[in-house]
């Protein structure tokens, strides 16, 4: 949002106007990626975004697309273990990377403790933002296993929920932290 | 919202980057963290014909102290600077600003130098680099040159780089002992871009007088703006309540912000003054904490 509105700031530059592709027949580049533990090889155009690669090439449609300019967090995945906006990454630039999407956090098994906590706390309404929130929560609790509510609020700025179910999401993250600590304690 | 097609290069070394820049120059853009470039490409505000991806140039990712400066390479991520012990110890102003730059997922990939090159007048890092009087190391196949912040930031989203040049490194002077620094910003939400902000650095002599003041405001002009009238007012004097009030008024007067949907120019100018007063009061109250 911010970026659209602030676009007037951008200097007039050596760029094609809308719709005019400066390269008419772009060659495809081979990309190798491990997604949710599975190795994939595909030939894609350089301009192919990771979000589209996941959804249209690998049919992993759990990664949602909201704003396509990095603001909303719906498309958040783990890229080599760190949350990243899949709408701001070119697939070809991630040759050799390891990606985790929402489909990979529990596999075919029972729900991941963070998913279970979201489920119990009613931390989703339409669910569109949920995959992004889950991956943000997994990264955050990996770095801060016992956060207070202020720290949780701060961490959740990574994502937006249009149904504005934030209070339940905060409850869920708090509960998820307890679940993960208990699980860690058992192991 | 899909980017236009482009030719993609993924060099492994700085030398290769520079020779690609020499070859493609004005047609090409550097791809660092992509957190500003890719949104603009998705919206087709920018459609560069060539992207030179520097993410494989591992030699460009470093933070190291040399000769009273911390050198930060072109591939150093904002998230790395945020958690760096060296930055926390030697560059408290940068450390204080870091968490305000976008959100975690942006900082995981966005680079310090990419944010500087992007030259957003509302960027935290351009403002910090200006207050610290950073040195910008610019490289091209023709050689190297070094410029200061005021030469580097030309206007909104415009830096001083020639088409065949890149920002190879930024060098940030280490905080002086006894100096205090404060970073503050006001935003409509707790994340994303601010409407106004301030990076302030004040050093004191043995008698407690202000020996050096550097204040740089975000959102107070076409580019990150040094508040020189405020600096002159502070230097040589003692920080007391009267001076602080005067400094705030001078800051509001010096600010030349613009209106947009997020805030009016008048509000931004007012806030710039409040932030100056607040920052100076924090320096008085915080003992050594704000170093
Ligand atoms: C949702 C969102 C919120 C954000 N909020 C903020 C915020 O609050 N404050 C803020 O300051 N920024 C914010 N940003 C921008 C973010 O900080 C970017 O990371 C940063 O501005 C650019 O860094 P980058 O490494 O991603 O650069 P890129 O996007 O890769 O590049 C940006 C520009 O700089 C050029 N460039 C990059 N590196 C170099 C180099 N070494 N030499 C020459 N040119 C180079 C590129 O060609 C491009 O034109 C936000 C972005 C998003 C998506
Ligand atoms: S789709 Fe909104 S951040 Fe990527
Ligand atoms: S649950 Fe609907 S957007 Fe968050």
């Amino acid at each position: 949002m911010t970026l659209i509105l602030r676009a007037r700031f951008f200097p007039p530059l050596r760029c094609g106007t809308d719709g005019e592709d400066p390269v008419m027949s772009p060659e495809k580049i081979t990309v190798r990626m491990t997604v949710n533990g599975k190795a994939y090889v595909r030939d894609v155009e350089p301009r192919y975004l990771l979000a589209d690669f996941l959804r249209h090439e690998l049919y992993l449609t759990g990664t949602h697309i909201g704003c396509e300019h990095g603001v909303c967090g719906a498309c958040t995945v783990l890229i080599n273990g760190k949350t990243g906006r899949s709408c701001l990454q070119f697939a070809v630039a991630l040759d050799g990377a390891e990606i985790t999407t929402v489909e990979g956090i529990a596999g075919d098994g029972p729900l991941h403790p963070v998913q279970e906590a979201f489920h119990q706390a009613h931390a989703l309404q339409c669910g569109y933002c949920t995959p992004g929130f889950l991956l943000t929560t997994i990264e955050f609790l990996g770095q801060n296993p016992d956060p207070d509510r202020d720290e949780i609020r701060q961490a959740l700025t990574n994502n937006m929920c249009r149904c504005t179910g934030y209070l339940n999401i905060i409850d869920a993250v708090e509960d998820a932290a307890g679940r993960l600590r208990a699980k860690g304690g058992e192991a | 919202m899909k980017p236009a097609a482009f030719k993609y290069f993924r060099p492994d070394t700085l030398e290769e980057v520079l020779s690609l820049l020499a070859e493609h120059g004005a047609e090409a853009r550097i791809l660092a963290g992509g957190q500003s470039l890719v949104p603009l490409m998705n919206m087709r505000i920018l459609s560069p014909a060539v992207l030179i991806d520097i993410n494989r140039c591992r030699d460009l990712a470093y933070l190291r102290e040399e000769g009273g400066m911390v050198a930060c390479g072109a591939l150093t991520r904002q998230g790395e600077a945020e958690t760096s012990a060296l930055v926390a110890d030697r560059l408290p102003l940068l450390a204080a600003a870091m968490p305000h730059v976008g959100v975690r997922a942006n900082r995981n990939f966005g680079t310090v130098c990419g944010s500087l090159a992007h030259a957003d007048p509302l960027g935290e890092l351009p403002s910090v680099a200006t207050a610290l009087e950073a040195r910008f190391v610019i490289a091209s196949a023709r050689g190297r040159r070094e410029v200061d912040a005021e030469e580097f930031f030309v206007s909104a989203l415009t830096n001083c780089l020639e088409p065949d040049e890149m920002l190879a490194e930024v060098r940030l002077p280490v905080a002086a002992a006894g100096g205090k620094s404060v970073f503050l910003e006001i935003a409509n939400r707790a994340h994303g871009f601010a409407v106004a902000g301030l990076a302030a650095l004040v050093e004191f002599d043995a008698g407690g007088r202000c020996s050096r003041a550097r204040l740089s405001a975000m959102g107070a002009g076409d580019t990150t703006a040094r508040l020189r009238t405020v600096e002159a007012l502070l230097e040589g004097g003692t920080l007391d309540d009267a001076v602080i009030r005067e400094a705030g008024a001078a800051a509001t007067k010096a600010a030349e912000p613009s209106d947009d949907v997020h805030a009016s120019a008048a509000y931004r100018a007012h806030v710039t003054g409040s932030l100056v007063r607040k920052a100076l009061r924090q320096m008085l109250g915080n003992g050594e904490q704000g170093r």
Side-chain angles (χ1 to χ4, degrees):
Chain A
M1 275 154 267
T2 318
L3 283 161
I4 294 178
L5 295 163
R6 307 198 56 251
R8 67 187 168 78
F9 278 134
F10 223 75
L13 256 182
R14 56 221 192 189
C15 44
T17 49
D18 198 4
E20 242 176 69
D21 291 359
V23 178
M24 297 314 290
S25 53
E27 80 275 40
K28 292 193 172 183
I29 295 179
T30 302
V31 50
R32 292 176 180 76
M33 227 186 265
T34 304
V35 181
N36 301 330
K38 200 170 156 204
Y40 295 91
V41 183
R42 291 287 189 283
D43 292 335
V44 295
E45 269 187 60
R47 64 167 163 166
Y48 216 39
L49 298 167
L50 175 62
D52 295 324
F53 180 83
L54 294 170
R55 293 176 57 84
H56 302 310
E57 286 288 331
L58 309 187
Y59 304 112
L60 294 170
T61 53
T63 298
H64 293 165
I65 294 179
C67 67
E68 288 193 288
H69 62 280
V71 175
C72 74
C75 70
T76 304
V77 298
L78 297 181
I79 302 171
N80 297 323
K82 292 178 171 186
T83 57
R85 305 301 205 212
S86 60
C87 70
L88 298 186
Q89 300 277 342
F90 295 112
V92 291
L94 294 170
D95 190 37
E98 290 204 16
I99 311 291
T100 304
T101 69
V102 68
E103 288 92 342
I105 63 183
D108 292 330
L111 293 182
H112 184 279
V114 174
Q115 288 172 308
E116 187 59 39
F118 271 61
H119 174 58
Q120 292 301 329
H122 195 64
L124 54 150
Q125 295 174 64
C126 77
Y128 201 81
C129 65
T130 311
F133 270 100
L134 292 172
L135 292 161
T136 290
T137 303
I138 288 170
E139 177 187 59
F140 170 59
L141 295 179
Q143 292 166 354
N144 185 351
D146 192 9
D148 62 34
R149 282 178 81 85
D150 268 352
E151 290 168 333
I152 294 173
R153 278 173 178 272
Q154 194 56 44
L156 293 179
T157 60
N158 216 21
N159 299 72
M160 288 184 184
C161 173
R162 286 214 66 178
C163 301
T164 67
Y166 293 110
L167 288 178
N168 289 357
I169 298 175
I170 297 167
D171 291 344
V173 175
E174 210 170 21
D175 179 35
R179 287 171 190 265
L180 287 172
R181 285 198 309 274
K183 209 172 152 230
E186 273 167 31
Chain B
M1 293 254 301
K2 304 294 170 199
F6 54 84
K7 219 167 149 45
Y8 174 75
F9 293 97
R10 190 169 50 204
D12 294 310
T13 65
L14 178 63
E15 289 63 40
E16 290 172 63
V17 175
L18 298 180
S19 82
L20 285 164
L21 277 173
E23 185 182 344
H24 299 283
E27 297 270 272
R29 280 276 171 161
I30 301 250
L31 174 66
Q35 301 300 298
S36 292
L37 180 60
V38 182
L40 293 166
M41 290 177 63
N42 285 358
M43 293 184 268
R44 299 216 182 182
I45 293 167
L46 275 188
S47 308
V50 173
L51 277 199
I52 304 170
D53 181 353
I54 61 169
N55 285 276
R56 297 283 154 127
C57 302
R58 298 309 311 165
D59 289 353
L60 294 179
Y62 56 84
L63 280 163
R64 53 181 175 240
E65 189 173 351
E66 4 176 273
M69 306 262 212
V70 173
C72 172
L75 194 58
T76 305
R77 311 277 174 198
Q78 293 156 7
E80 285 160 10
E82 187 180 357
T83 52
S84 150
L86 180 68
V87 170
D89 185 49
R90 312 307 260 167
L91 300 171
L93 185 60
L94 178 64
M98 224 54 245
H100 296 282
V101 183
V103 296
R104 160 79 32 235
N106 304 129
R107 296 193 297 274
N108 280 343
F109 293 90
T111 61
V112 171
C113 285
S115 172
L116 297 173
H118 193 58
D120 193 313
L122 276 170
E124 289 80 6
L125 302 183
S127 163
V128 166
T130 303
L132 290 179
E133 295 186 287
R135 305 290 299 166
F136 293 73
V137 181
I138 296 172
S140 72
R142 295 174 285 126
R144 284 193 168 228
R145 64 184 177 116
E146 231 181 271
V147 300
D148 63 17
E150 278 162 301
E151 192 173 339
F152 188 79
F153 300 115
V154 174
S155 65
L157 303 189
T158 307
N159 59 44
C160 76
L161 297 175
E162 296 296 331
D164 66 338
E165 289 181 324
M166 73 176 282
L167 178 59
E169 176 180 292
V170 64
R171 302 171 65 79
L172 302 155
V174 167
K180 297 194 176 166
S181 53
V182 172
F183 183 87
L184 295 171
E185 72 174 39
I186 296 281
N188 292 332
R189 291 170 301 279
H191 55 94
F193 279 99
V195 299
L198 177 76
L201 174 80
V202 178
E203 288 163 22
F204 299 90
D205 64 19
R209 278 171 186 280
C210 165
S211 53
R212 183 166 170 266
R214 292 292 176 271
L215 289 87
S216 164
M218 288 157 51
D222 195 28
T223 172
T224 173
R226 276 269 298 272
L227 299 173
R228 285 181 188 280
T229 49
V230 180
E231 294 173 1
L233 214 147
L234 297 174
E235 283 177 358
T238 317
L239 273 194
D240 59 27
D241 215 52
V243 169
I244 289 176
R245 262 183 282 124
E246 216 183 316
T252 295
K253 213 166 144 206
E256 292 176 345
S258 48
D259 283 311
D260 66 22
V261 66
H262 303 291
S264 68
Y267 175 73
R268 285 197 161 102
H270 174 79
V271 165
T272 305
S274 313
L275 292 178
V276 165
R277 286 197 304 274
K278 191 169 170 188
L280 296 175
R281 292 210 170 102
Q282 275 190 21
M283 287 180 189
L284 285 186
N286 272 1
E288 276 303 296
Q289 201 188 330
R291 197 172 99 129

